[in-house]
Amino acid sequence: MAVSAVMLAAVAVGVLAFPQPLFAYHVEYGQLQLWSDQPFDERQGRRVLADIAGRIEASPLALGENAHRIFVANTEWRRLVFLWNYGAGGVNYYPLRNVFIRQSDIDGNRVLRDAGPVPLPRTLAYFGAHEIGHSLIGEKIGMLANWRLPVWIREGLADYVGFGREADIDALTKAFLAEEPDLDPRRSGLYARYRLLVAYMIKHEGWSVERLLGSQLSQDEAERRLLARYTRAISQQQNSDFSNW
């Protein structure tokens, strides 16, 4: 039994490290590669990669010189690459530079679930940029430091990358205060709450991404800072648009 388990683990690692033989169709755009087990329009595939590249370029992280590969697993055997993350939209197994996305309409730039496409604005490009963001974080600080990062920083920064640095801090804070489901990761499975905190610390506390990644700032403390500043603005009867603070 022990030998069989080791052999299965070795096969799984091999597939995750070198999955190319299982994905017959691919295109490239700079350092980005898109692979799929089903045919797609190459022009549309390059557009998706260009969208991903633009999101990363707009973020505080950079692609560097390494190639990053995105594998879209459409068929049922995708369980092989998703492992225990079968229900996720995408997975990253850093330090491998291979990320895996669930079944997708590459031509339409959408990730699919049983009930239909994942709601906008979370496109295929968003998922690709988010998962590559995890690799870029790991490359910047190393595997051990990446593992030790508070979840809100690790997932919030990857989501910040995924959205191309777009974050309406005022609207997200109001949704947070209203206890809307999208701002509760446990209820929604989304990282909007973490993205809000990362955007706030970078844009309004003036933290660099290096400082953020080097800190162990707790989520509670980040939320305290955010809400304290918001409360001060309201009490002073100022415009609640954070961009004017």
Side-chain angles (χ1 to χ4, degrees), residues 69-105:
R69 294 170 290 270
I70 301 163
F71 295 88
V72 176
N74 293 285
T75 49
E76 190 65 22
W77 62 261
R78 68 180 180 275
R79 293 177 185 273
L80 184 63
V81 293
F82 273 73
L83 301 176
W84 57 88
N85 298 299
Y86 183 67
V91 292
N92 179 305
Y93 299 106
Y94 177 79
L96 303 176
R97 294 192 184 92
N98 301 330
V99 302
F100 299 90
I101 308 294
R102 65 179 296 122
Q103 65 266 39
S104 299
D105 172 12

PDB file of all heavy atoms in Angstrom, residues 69-105:
ATOM      1  N   ARG A  69       2.523  29.185 -17.684  1.00  0.00           N
ATOM      2  CA  ARG A  69       1.625  28.380 -18.512  1.00  0.00           C
ATOM      3  C   ARG A  69       0.258  28.221 -17.831  1.00  0.00           C
ATOM      4  O   ARG A  69       0.191  27.928 -16.637  1.00  0.00           O
ATOM      5  CB  ARG A  69       2.246  27.005 -18.771  1.00  0.00           C
ATOM      6  CG  ARG A  69       3.509  27.062 -19.621  1.00  0.00           C
ATOM      7  CD  ARG A  69       4.248  25.723 -19.656  1.00  0.00           C
ATOM      8  NE  ARG A  69       4.854  25.433 -18.367  1.00  0.00           N
ATOM      9  CZ  ARG A  69       6.098  25.814 -18.020  1.00  0.00           C
ATOM     10  NH1 ARG A  69       6.834  26.495 -18.876  1.00  0.00           N
ATOM     11  NH2 ARG A  69       6.589  25.495 -16.843  1.00  0.00           N
ATOM     12  N   ILE A  70      -0.785  28.417 -18.630  1.00  0.00           N
ATOM     13  CA  ILE A  70      -2.162  28.266 -18.162  1.00  0.00           C
ATOM     14  C   ILE A  70      -2.773  27.078 -18.894  1.00  0.00           C
ATOM     15  O   ILE A  70      -2.780  27.045 -20.131  1.00  0.00           O
ATOM     16  CB  ILE A  70      -2.985  29.530 -18.453  1.00  0.00           C
ATOM     17  CG1 ILE A  70      -2.346  30.737 -17.768  1.00  0.00           C
ATOM     18  CG2 ILE A  70      -4.430  29.358 -18.005  1.00  0.00           C
ATOM     19  CD1 ILE A  70      -2.829  32.062 -18.311  1.00  0.00           C
ATOM     20  N   PHE A  71      -3.274  26.103 -18.151  1.00  0.00           N
ATOM     21  CA  PHE A  71      -3.858  24.905 -18.728  1.00  0.00           C
ATOM     22  C   PHE A  71      -5.353  24.882 -18.429  1.00  0.00           C
ATOM     23  O   PHE A  71      -5.759  24.883 -17.258  1.00  0.00           O
ATOM     24  CB  PHE A  71      -3.188  23.653 -18.166  1.00  0.00           C
ATOM     25  CG  PHE A  71      -1.736  23.523 -18.542  1.00  0.00           C
ATOM     26  CD1 PHE A  71      -0.747  24.115 -17.757  1.00  0.00           C
ATOM     27  CD2 PHE A  71      -1.362  22.833 -19.680  1.00  0.00           C
ATOM     28  CE1 PHE A  71       0.597  24.007 -18.102  1.00  0.00           C
ATOM     29  CE2 PHE A  71      -0.020  22.719 -20.038  1.00  0.00           C
ATOM     30  CZ  PHE A  71       0.954  23.313 -19.253  1.00  0.00           C
ATOM     31  N   VAL A  72      -6.168  24.872 -19.472  1.00  0.00           N
ATOM     32  CA  VAL A  72      -7.613  24.805 -19.319  1.00  0.00           C
ATOM     33  C   VAL A  72      -8.045  23.345 -19.453  1.00  0.00           C
ATOM     34  O   VAL A  72      -7.901  22.738 -20.518  1.00  0.00           O
ATOM     35  CB  VAL A  72      -8.332  25.677 -20.372  1.00  0.00           C
ATOM     36  CG1 VAL A  72      -9.839  25.510 -20.251  1.00  0.00           C
ATOM     37  CG2 VAL A  72      -7.932  27.135 -20.207  1.00  0.00           C
ATOM     38  N   ALA A  73      -8.538  22.795 -18.355  1.00  0.00           N
ATOM     39  CA  ALA A  73      -8.931  21.378 -18.317  1.00  0.00           C
ATOM     40  C   ALA A  73     -10.450  21.283 -18.415  1.00  0.00           C
ATOM     41  O   ALA A  73     -11.171  21.576 -17.458  1.00  0.00           O
ATOM     42  CB  ALA A  73      -8.432  20.731 -17.025  1.00  0.00           C
ATOM     43  N   ASN A  74     -10.936  20.871 -19.578  1.00  0.00           N
ATOM     44  CA  ASN A  74     -12.374  20.855 -19.832  1.00  0.00           C
ATOM     45  C   ASN A  74     -13.052  19.536 -19.487  1.00  0.00           C
ATOM     46  O   ASN A  74     -14.195  19.518 -19.056  1.00  0.00           O
ATOM     47  CB  ASN A  74     -12.636  21.175 -21.314  1.00  0.00           C
ATOM     48  CG  ASN A  74     -12.259  22.598 -21.671  1.00  0.00           C
ATOM     49  OD1 ASN A  74     -12.965  23.538 -21.336  1.00  0.00           O
ATOM     50  ND2 ASN A  74     -11.131  22.763 -22.351  1.00  0.00           N
ATOM     51  N   THR A  75     -12.364  18.441 -19.692  1.00  0.00           N
ATOM     52  CA  THR A  75     -13.006  17.135 -19.566  1.00  0.00           C
ATOM     53  C   THR A  75     -12.984  16.630 -18.127  1.00  0.00           C
ATOM     54  O   THR A  75     -12.296  17.181 -17.263  1.00  0.00           O
ATOM     55  CB  THR A  75     -12.340  16.129 -20.500  1.00  0.00           C
ATOM     56  OG1 THR A  75     -10.926  16.200 -20.334  1.00  0.00           O
ATOM     57  CG2 THR A  75     -12.666  16.441 -21.948  1.00  0.00           C
ATOM     58  N   GLU A  76     -13.702  15.565 -17.872  1.00  0.00           N
ATOM     59  CA  GLU A  76     -13.891  15.068 -16.515  1.00  0.00           C
ATOM     60  C   GLU A  76     -12.578  14.664 -15.846  1.00  0.00           C
ATOM     61  O   GLU A  76     -12.465  14.717 -14.625  1.00  0.00           O
ATOM     62  CB  GLU A  76     -14.858  13.885 -16.537  1.00  0.00           C
ATOM     63  CG  GLU A  76     -15.318  13.423 -15.163  1.00  0.00           C
ATOM     64  CD  GLU A  76     -16.141  14.470 -14.423  1.00  0.00           C
ATOM     65  OE1 GLU A  76     -16.700  15.358 -15.091  1.00  0.00           O
ATOM     66  OE2 GLU A  76     -16.205  14.397 -13.187  1.00  0.00           O
ATOM     67  N   TRP A  77     -11.590  14.291 -16.647  1.00  0.00           N
ATOM     68  CA  TRP A  77     -10.323  13.869 -16.034  1.00  0.00           C
ATOM     69  C   TRP A  77      -9.586  15.033 -15.379  1.00  0.00           C
ATOM     70  O   TRP A  77      -8.515  14.850 -14.804  1.00  0.00           O
ATOM     71  CB  TRP A  77      -9.423  13.176 -17.056  1.00  0.00           C
ATOM     72  CG  TRP A  77      -8.999  14.042 -18.209  1.00  0.00           C
ATOM     73  CD1 TRP A  77      -9.537  14.069 -19.448  1.00  0.00           C
ATOM     74  CD2 TRP A  77      -7.933  15.003 -18.221  1.00  0.00           C
ATOM     75  NE1 TRP A  77      -8.899  14.985 -20.237  1.00  0.00           N
ATOM     76  CE2 TRP A  77      -7.908  15.579 -19.511  1.00  0.00           C
ATOM     77  CE3 TRP A  77      -7.013  15.447 -17.277  1.00  0.00           C
ATOM     78  CZ2 TRP A  77      -7.003  16.565 -19.875  1.00  0.00           C
ATOM     79  CZ3 TRP A  77      -6.110  16.433 -17.632  1.00  0.00           C
ATOM     80  CH2 TRP A  77      -6.100  16.987 -18.914  1.00  0.00           C
ATOM     81  N   ARG A  78     -10.177  16.245 -15.466  1.00  0.00           N
ATOM     82  CA  ARG A  78      -9.500  17.384 -14.833  1.00  0.00           C
ATOM     83  C   ARG A  78      -9.306  17.161 -13.333  1.00  0.00           C
ATOM     84  O   ARG A  78      -8.520  17.857 -12.699  1.00  0.00           O
ATOM     85  CB  ARG A  78     -10.259  18.674 -15.080  1.00  0.00           C
ATOM     86  CG  ARG A  78     -11.606  18.779 -14.384  1.00  0.00           C
ATOM     87  CD  ARG A  78     -12.283  20.120 -14.714  1.00  0.00           C
ATOM     88  NE  ARG A  78     -13.573  20.245 -14.051  1.00  0.00           N
ATOM     89  CZ  ARG A  78     -14.701  19.760 -14.541  1.00  0.00           C
ATOM     90  NH1 ARG A  78     -14.703  19.112 -15.698  1.00  0.00           N
ATOM     91  NH2 ARG A  78     -15.842  19.925 -13.882  1.00  0.00           N
ATOM     92  N   ARG A  79     -10.067  16.195 -12.768  1.00  0.00           N
ATOM     93  CA  ARG A  79      -9.845  15.864 -11.360  1.00  0.00           C
ATOM     94  C   ARG A  79      -8.370  15.533 -11.105  1.00  0.00           C
ATOM     95  O   ARG A  79      -7.864  15.734 -10.002  1.00  0.00           O
ATOM     96  CB  ARG A  79     -10.718  14.673 -10.943  1.00  0.00           C
ATOM     97  CG  ARG A  79     -12.209  14.958 -10.933  1.00  0.00           C
ATOM     98  CD  ARG A  79     -12.998  13.706 -10.575  1.00  0.00           C
ATOM     99  NE  ARG A  79     -14.435  13.917 -10.677  1.00  0.00           N
ATOM    100  CZ  ARG A  79     -15.194  14.386  -9.702  1.00  0.00           C
ATOM    101  NH1 ARG A  79     -14.644  14.691  -8.538  1.00  0.00           N
ATOM    102  NH2 ARG A  79     -16.494  14.545  -9.879  1.00  0.00           N
ATOM    103  N   LEU A  80      -7.706  15.036 -12.134  1.00  0.00           N
ATOM    104  CA  LEU A  80      -6.306  14.640 -11.995  1.00  0.00           C
ATOM    105  C   LEU A  80      -5.418  15.830 -11.691  1.00  0.00           C
ATOM    106  O   LEU A  80      -4.430  15.711 -10.957  1.00  0.00           O
ATOM    107  CB  LEU A  80      -5.837  13.944 -13.282  1.00  0.00           C
ATOM    108  CG  LEU A  80      -4.428  13.372 -13.295  1.00  0.00           C
ATOM    109  CD1 LEU A  80      -4.306  12.259 -12.256  1.00  0.00           C
ATOM    110  CD2 LEU A  80      -4.082  12.834 -14.685  1.00  0.00           C
ATOM    111  N   VAL A  81      -5.733  17.011 -12.255  1.00  0.00           N
ATOM    112  CA  VAL A  81      -4.897  18.186 -12.024  1.00  0.00           C
ATOM    113  C   VAL A  81      -5.466  19.111 -10.943  1.00  0.00           C
ATOM    114  O   VAL A  81      -4.728  19.920 -10.377  1.00  0.00           O
ATOM    115  CB  VAL A  81      -4.661  18.977 -13.330  1.00  0.00           C
ATOM    116  CG1 VAL A  81      -3.815  18.168 -14.293  1.00  0.00           C
ATOM    117  CG2 VAL A  81      -5.969  19.398 -13.989  1.00  0.00           C
ATOM    118  N   PHE A  82      -6.752  18.977 -10.644  1.00  0.00           N
ATOM    119  CA  PHE A  82      -7.330  19.803  -9.592  1.00  0.00           C
ATOM    120  C   PHE A  82      -7.222  19.149  -8.219  1.00  0.00           C
ATOM    121  O   PHE A  82      -7.295  19.822  -7.193  1.00  0.00           O
ATOM    122  CB  PHE A  82      -8.793  20.136  -9.916  1.00  0.00           C
ATOM    123  CG  PHE A  82      -8.947  21.359 -10.772  1.00  0.00           C
ATOM    124  CD1 PHE A  82      -8.613  21.316 -12.114  1.00  0.00           C
ATOM    125  CD2 PHE A  82      -9.412  22.552 -10.247  1.00  0.00           C
ATOM    126  CE1 PHE A  82      -8.742  22.431 -12.917  1.00  0.00           C
ATOM    127  CE2 PHE A  82      -9.547  23.681 -11.029  1.00  0.00           C
ATOM    128  CZ  PHE A  82      -9.208  23.623 -12.378  1.00  0.00           C
ATOM    129  N   LEU A  83      -7.076  17.828  -8.187  1.00  0.00           N
ATOM    130  CA  LEU A  83      -6.918  17.101  -6.936  1.00  0.00           C
ATOM    131  C   LEU A  83      -8.018  17.478  -5.948  1.00  0.00           C
ATOM    132  O   LEU A  83      -9.193  17.401  -6.269  1.00  0.00           O
ATOM    133  CB  LEU A  83      -5.513  17.343  -6.363  1.00  0.00           C
ATOM    134  CG  LEU A  83      -4.344  16.929  -7.282  1.00  0.00           C
ATOM    135  CD1 LEU A  83      -3.017  17.294  -6.657  1.00  0.00           C
ATOM    136  CD2 LEU A  83      -4.408  15.452  -7.616  1.00  0.00           C
ATOM    137  N   TRP A  84      -7.660  17.919  -4.745  1.00  0.00           N
ATOM    138  CA  TRP A  84      -8.649  18.241  -3.723  1.00  0.00           C
ATOM    139  C   TRP A  84      -9.345  19.579  -3.989  1.00  0.00           C
ATOM    140  O   TRP A  84     -10.291  19.936  -3.302  1.00  0.00           O
ATOM    141  CB  TRP A  84      -7.979  18.284  -2.346  1.00  0.00           C
ATOM    142  CG  TRP A  84      -6.845  19.273  -2.289  1.00  0.00           C
ATOM    143  CD1 TRP A  84      -6.926  20.613  -1.984  1.00  0.00           C
ATOM    144  CD2 TRP A  84      -5.471  19.010  -2.574  1.00  0.00           C
ATOM    145  NE1 TRP A  84      -5.696  21.195  -2.055  1.00  0.00           N
ATOM    146  CE2 TRP A  84      -4.772  20.238  -2.411  1.00  0.00           C
ATOM    147  CE3 TRP A  84      -4.758  17.873  -2.947  1.00  0.00           C
ATOM    148  CZ2 TRP A  84      -3.389  20.338  -2.622  1.00  0.00           C
ATOM    149  CZ3 TRP A  84      -3.387  17.982  -3.151  1.00  0.00           C
ATOM    150  CH2 TRP A  84      -2.720  19.193  -2.986  1.00  0.00           C
ATOM    151  N   ASN A  85      -8.877  20.320  -5.010  1.00  0.00           N
ATOM    152  CA  ASN A  85      -9.469  21.620  -5.329  1.00  0.00           C
ATOM    153  C   ASN A  85     -10.463  21.507  -6.487  1.00  0.00           C
ATOM    154  O   ASN A  85     -10.636  22.454  -7.253  1.00  0.00           O
ATOM    155  CB  ASN A  85      -8.368  22.610  -5.718  1.00  0.00           C
ATOM    156  CG  ASN A  85      -7.394  22.860  -4.597  1.00  0.00           C
ATOM    157  OD1 ASN A  85      -7.773  23.333  -3.538  1.00  0.00           O
ATOM    158  ND2 ASN A  85      -6.126  22.531  -4.824  1.00  0.00           N
ATOM    159  N   TYR A  86     -11.127  20.380  -6.601  1.00  0.00           N
ATOM    160  CA  TYR A  86     -11.943  20.100  -7.782  1.00  0.00           C
ATOM    161  C   TYR A  86     -13.005  21.165  -8.060  1.00  0.00           C
ATOM    162  O   TYR A  86     -13.303  21.462  -9.207  1.00  0.00           O
ATOM    163  CB  TYR A  86     -12.612  18.734  -7.650  1.00  0.00           C
ATOM    164  CG  TYR A  86     -13.413  18.348  -8.865  1.00  0.00           C
ATOM    165  CD1 TYR A  86     -12.794  18.088 -10.081  1.00  0.00           C
ATOM    166  CD2 TYR A  86     -14.808  18.272  -8.807  1.00  0.00           C
ATOM    167  CE1 TYR A  86     -13.529  17.748 -11.205  1.00  0.00           C
ATOM    168  CE2 TYR A  86     -15.548  17.936  -9.930  1.00  0.00           C
ATOM    169  CZ  TYR A  86     -14.906  17.669 -11.127  1.00  0.00           C
ATOM    170  OH  TYR A  86     -15.632  17.351 -12.237  1.00  0.00           O
ATOM    171  N   GLY A  87     -13.571  21.748  -7.029  1.00  0.00           N
ATOM    172  CA  GLY A  87     -14.631  22.727  -7.230  1.00  0.00           C
ATOM    173  C   GLY A  87     -14.135  24.125  -7.528  1.00  0.00           C
ATOM    174  O   GLY A  87     -14.942  25.024  -7.793  1.00  0.00           O
ATOM    175  N   ALA A  88     -12.827  24.354  -7.486  1.00  0.00           N
ATOM    176  CA  ALA A  88     -12.285  25.700  -7.672  1.00  0.00           C
ATOM    177  C   ALA A  88     -12.321  26.122  -9.131  1.00  0.00           C
ATOM    178  O   ALA A  88     -12.341  25.290 -10.043  1.00  0.00           O
ATOM    179  CB  ALA A  88     -10.848  25.756  -7.155  1.00  0.00           C
ATOM    180  N   GLY A  89     -12.311  27.447  -9.351  1.00  0.00           N
ATOM    181  CA  GLY A  89     -12.222  27.958 -10.705  1.00  0.00           C
ATOM    182  C   GLY A  89     -10.829  27.819 -11.274  1.00  0.00           C
ATOM    183  O   GLY A  89     -10.653  27.624 -12.482  1.00  0.00           O
ATOM    184  N   GLY A  90      -9.828  27.935 -10.418  1.00  0.00           N
ATOM    185  CA  GLY A  90      -8.442  27.801 -10.849  1.00  0.00           C
ATOM    186  C   GLY A  90      -7.572  27.394  -9.678  1.00  0.00           C
ATOM    187  O   GLY A  90      -7.930  27.609  -8.508  1.00  0.00           O
ATOM    188  N   VAL A  91      -6.430  26.784  -9.973  1.00  0.00           N
ATOM    189  CA  VAL A  91      -5.495  26.365  -8.924  1.00  0.00           C
ATOM    190  C   VAL A  91      -4.070  26.671  -9.365  1.00  0.00           C
ATOM    191  O   VAL A  91      -3.752  26.709 -10.555  1.00  0.00           O
ATOM    192  CB  VAL A  91      -5.618  24.858  -8.583  1.00  0.00           C
ATOM    193  CG1 VAL A  91      -6.932  24.567  -7.914  1.00  0.00           C
ATOM    194  CG2 VAL A  91      -5.438  24.008  -9.828  1.00  0.00           C
ATOM    195  N   ASN A  92      -3.226  26.893  -8.372  1.00  0.00           N
ATOM    196  CA  ASN A  92      -1.810  27.170  -8.595  1.00  0.00           C
ATOM    197  C   ASN A  92      -1.011  26.281  -7.653  1.00  0.00           C
ATOM    198  O   ASN A  92      -1.287  26.245  -6.450  1.00  0.00           O
ATOM    199  CB  ASN A  92      -1.522  28.650  -8.311  1.00  0.00           C
ATOM    200  CG  ASN A  92      -0.062  29.019  -8.497  1.00  0.00           C
ATOM    201  OD1 ASN A  92       0.825  28.419  -7.905  1.00  0.00           O
ATOM    202  ND2 ASN A  92       0.191  30.033  -9.308  1.00  0.00           N
ATOM    203  N   TYR A  93      -0.029  25.583  -8.209  1.00  0.00           N
ATOM    204  CA  TYR A  93       0.808  24.706  -7.386  1.00  0.00           C
ATOM    205  C   TYR A  93       2.236  25.256  -7.353  1.00  0.00           C
ATOM    206  O   TYR A  93       3.184  24.591  -7.747  1.00  0.00           O
ATOM    207  CB  TYR A  93       0.794  23.275  -7.923  1.00  0.00           C
ATOM    208  CG  TYR A  93      -0.569  22.637  -7.923  1.00  0.00           C
ATOM    209  CD1 TYR A  93      -1.277  22.468  -9.112  1.00  0.00           C
ATOM    210  CD2 TYR A  93      -1.164  22.221  -6.736  1.00  0.00           C
ATOM    211  CE1 TYR A  93      -2.530  21.877  -9.119  1.00  0.00           C
ATOM    212  CE2 TYR A  93      -2.417  21.643  -6.739  1.00  0.00           C
ATOM    213  CZ  TYR A  93      -3.097  21.468  -7.930  1.00  0.00           C
ATOM    214  OH  TYR A  93      -4.348  20.894  -7.928  1.00  0.00           O
ATOM    215  N   TYR A  94       2.381  26.508  -6.902  1.00  0.00           N
ATOM    216  CA  TYR A  94       3.710  27.098  -6.777  1.00  0.00           C
ATOM    217  C   TYR A  94       4.586  26.170  -5.920  1.00  0.00           C
ATOM    218  O   TYR A  94       4.104  25.619  -4.928  1.00  0.00           O
ATOM    219  CB  TYR A  94       3.608  28.482  -6.125  1.00  0.00           C
ATOM    220  CG  TYR A  94       4.959  29.124  -5.898  1.00  0.00           C
ATOM    221  CD1 TYR A  94       5.629  29.741  -6.940  1.00  0.00           C
ATOM    222  CD2 TYR A  94       5.574  29.064  -4.647  1.00  0.00           C
ATOM    223  CE1 TYR A  94       6.882  30.287  -6.734  1.00  0.00           C
ATOM    224  CE2 TYR A  94       6.821  29.614  -4.438  1.00  0.00           C
ATOM    225  CZ  TYR A  94       7.464  30.218  -5.491  1.00  0.00           C
ATOM    226  OH  TYR A  94       8.713  30.745  -5.300  1.00  0.00           O
ATOM    227  N   PRO A  95       5.872  25.949  -6.303  1.00  0.00           N
ATOM    228  CA  PRO A  95       6.714  26.705  -7.228  1.00  0.00           C
ATOM    229  C   PRO A  95       6.629  26.288  -8.699  1.00  0.00           C
ATOM    230  O   PRO A  95       7.418  26.783  -9.513  1.00  0.00           O
ATOM    231  CB  PRO A  95       8.114  26.464  -6.686  1.00  0.00           C
ATOM    232  CG  PRO A  95       8.050  25.080  -6.129  1.00  0.00           C
ATOM    233  CD  PRO A  95       6.679  24.966  -5.541  1.00  0.00           C
ATOM    234  N   LEU A  96       5.728  25.389  -9.071  1.00  0.00           N
ATOM    235  CA  LEU A  96       5.523  25.128 -10.493  1.00  0.00           C
ATOM    236  C   LEU A  96       4.941  26.392 -11.135  1.00  0.00           C
ATOM    237  O   LEU A  96       4.180  27.108 -10.499  1.00  0.00           O
ATOM    238  CB  LEU A  96       4.557  23.965 -10.690  1.00  0.00           C
ATOM    239  CG  LEU A  96       4.936  22.635 -10.047  1.00  0.00           C
ATOM    240  CD1 LEU A  96       3.824  21.616 -10.261  1.00  0.00           C
ATOM    241  CD2 LEU A  96       6.250  22.119 -10.616  1.00  0.00           C
ATOM    242  N   ARG A  97       5.300  26.644 -12.364  1.00  0.00           N
ATOM    243  CA  ARG A  97       4.745  27.822 -13.057  1.00  0.00           C
ATOM    244  C   ARG A  97       3.590  27.399 -13.959  1.00  0.00           C
ATOM    245  O   ARG A  97       3.334  28.024 -14.981  1.00  0.00           O
ATOM    246  CB  ARG A  97       5.835  28.547 -13.847  1.00  0.00           C
ATOM    247  CG  ARG A  97       6.913  29.171 -12.961  1.00  0.00           C
ATOM    248  CD  ARG A  97       7.815  30.111 -13.720  1.00  0.00           C
ATOM    249  NE  ARG A  97       8.870  30.593 -12.854  1.00  0.00           N
ATOM    250  CZ  ARG A  97      10.059  30.023 -12.736  1.00  0.00           C
ATOM    251  NH1 ARG A  97      10.328  28.938 -13.453  1.00  0.00           N
ATOM    252  NH2 ARG A  97      10.968  30.509 -11.924  1.00  0.00           N
ATOM    253  N   ASN A  98       2.919  26.315 -13.559  1.00  0.00           N
ATOM    254  CA  ASN A  98       1.748  25.843 -14.274  1.00  0.00           C
ATOM    255  C   ASN A  98       0.518  26.139 -13.436  1.00  0.00           C
ATOM    256  O   ASN A  98       0.466  25.765 -12.259  1.00  0.00           O
ATOM    257  CB  ASN A  98       1.829  24.338 -14.523  1.00  0.00           C
ATOM    258  CG  ASN A  98       3.046  23.956 -15.333  1.00  0.00           C
ATOM    259  OD1 ASN A  98       3.531  24.735 -16.157  1.00  0.00           O
ATOM    260  ND2 ASN A  98       3.569  22.756 -15.112  1.00  0.00           N
ATOM    261  N   VAL A  99      -0.464  26.819 -14.022  1.00  0.00           N
ATOM    262  CA  VAL A  99      -1.730  27.018 -13.328  1.00  0.00           C
ATOM    263  C   VAL A  99      -2.827  26.333 -14.143  1.00  0.00           C
ATOM    264  O   VAL A  99      -2.714  26.199 -15.372  1.00  0.00           O
ATOM    265  CB  VAL A  99      -2.052  28.516 -13.114  1.00  0.00           C
ATOM    266  CG1 VAL A  99      -0.952  29.189 -12.322  1.00  0.00           C
ATOM    267  CG2 VAL A  99      -2.275  29.232 -14.433  1.00  0.00           C
ATOM    268  N   PHE A 100      -3.845  25.898 -13.453  1.00  0.00           N
ATOM    269  CA  PHE A 100      -4.914  25.118 -14.080  1.00  0.00           C
ATOM    270  C   PHE A 100      -6.251  25.820 -13.857  1.00  0.00           C
ATOM    271  O   PHE A 100      -6.560  26.252 -12.744  1.00  0.00           O
ATOM    272  CB  PHE A 100      -4.941  23.703 -13.509  1.00  0.00           C
ATOM    273  CG  PHE A 100      -3.660  22.945 -13.745  1.00  0.00           C
ATOM    274  CD1 PHE A 100      -2.621  23.004 -12.826  1.00  0.00           C
ATOM    275  CD2 PHE A 100      -3.490  22.192 -14.901  1.00  0.00           C
ATOM    276  CE1 PHE A 100      -1.428  22.314 -13.042  1.00  0.00           C
ATOM    277  CE2 PHE A 100      -2.300  21.506 -15.130  1.00  0.00           C
ATOM    278  CZ  PHE A 100      -1.273  21.567 -14.205  1.00  0.00           C
ATOM    279  N   ILE A 101      -7.021  25.937 -14.937  1.00  0.00           N
ATOM    280  CA  ILE A 101      -8.336  26.564 -14.902  1.00  0.00           C
ATOM    281  C   ILE A 101      -9.374  25.524 -15.295  1.00  0.00           C
ATOM    282  O   ILE A 101      -9.138  24.695 -16.179  1.00  0.00           O
ATOM    283  CB  ILE A 101      -8.403  27.758 -15.872  1.00  0.00           C
ATOM    284  CG1 ILE A 101      -7.222  28.722 -15.628  1.00  0.00           C
ATOM    285  CG2 ILE A 101      -9.734  28.495 -15.747  1.00  0.00           C
ATOM    286  CD1 ILE A 101      -7.234  29.408 -14.297  1.00  0.00           C
ATOM    287  N   ARG A 102     -10.527  25.560 -14.647  1.00  0.00           N
ATOM    288  CA  ARG A 102     -11.590  24.609 -14.958  1.00  0.00           C
ATOM    289  C   ARG A 102     -12.135  24.869 -16.358  1.00  0.00           C
ATOM    290  O   ARG A 102     -11.705  25.795 -17.046  1.00  0.00           O
ATOM    291  CB  ARG A 102     -12.698  24.677 -13.917  1.00  0.00           C
ATOM    292  CG  ARG A 102     -13.447  25.986 -13.885  1.00  0.00           C
ATOM    293  CD  ARG A 102     -14.551  25.972 -12.840  1.00  0.00           C
ATOM    294  NE  ARG A 102     -15.565  24.990 -13.141  1.00  0.00           N
ATOM    295  CZ  ARG A 102     -15.910  23.996 -12.312  1.00  0.00           C
ATOM    296  NH1 ARG A 102     -15.314  23.856 -11.140  1.00  0.00           N
ATOM    297  NH2 ARG A 102     -16.852  23.154 -12.644  1.00  0.00           N
ATOM    298  N   GLN A 103     -13.102  24.070 -16.792  1.00  0.00           N
ATOM    299  CA  GLN A 103     -13.614  24.163 -18.162  1.00  0.00           C
ATOM    300  C   GLN A 103     -13.981  25.602 -18.503  1.00  0.00           C
ATOM    301  O   GLN A 103     -14.554  26.327 -17.688  1.00  0.00           O
ATOM    302  CB  GLN A 103     -14.818  23.235 -18.368  1.00  0.00           C
ATOM    303  CG  GLN A 103     -16.054  23.583 -17.563  1.00  0.00           C
ATOM    304  CD  GLN A 103     -16.126  22.835 -16.268  1.00  0.00           C
ATOM    305  OE1 GLN A 103     -15.110  22.645 -15.599  1.00  0.00           O
ATOM    306  NE2 GLN A 103     -17.315  22.396 -15.889  1.00  0.00           N
ATOM    307  N   SER A 104     -13.644  26.010 -19.736  1.00  0.00           N
ATOM    308  CA  SER A 104     -13.800  27.410 -20.129  1.00  0.00           C
ATOM    309  C   SER A 104     -14.178  27.536 -21.593  1.00  0.00           C
ATOM    310  O   SER A 104     -13.873  26.667 -22.416  1.00  0.00           O
ATOM    311  CB  SER A 104     -12.488  28.181 -19.892  1.00  0.00           C
ATOM    312  OG  SER A 104     -12.107  28.167 -18.535  1.00  0.00           O
ATOM    313  N   ASP A 105     -14.824  28.638 -21.898  1.00  0.00           N
ATOM    314  CA  ASP A 105     -15.057  29.067 -23.270  1.00  0.00           C
ATOM    315  C   ASP A 105     -13.962  30.072 -23.594  1.00  0.00           C
ATOM    316  O   ASP A 105     -14.107  31.266 -23.316  1.00  0.00           O
ATOM    317  CB  ASP A 105     -16.453  29.690 -23.380  1.00  0.00           C
ATOM    318  CG  ASP A 105     -16.703  30.338 -24.735  1.00  0.00           C
ATOM    319  OD1 ASP A 105     -15.894  30.120 -25.669  1.00  0.00           O
ATOM    320  OD2 ASP A 105     -17.693  31.079 -24.854  1.00  0.00           O
TER     321      ASP A 105
END
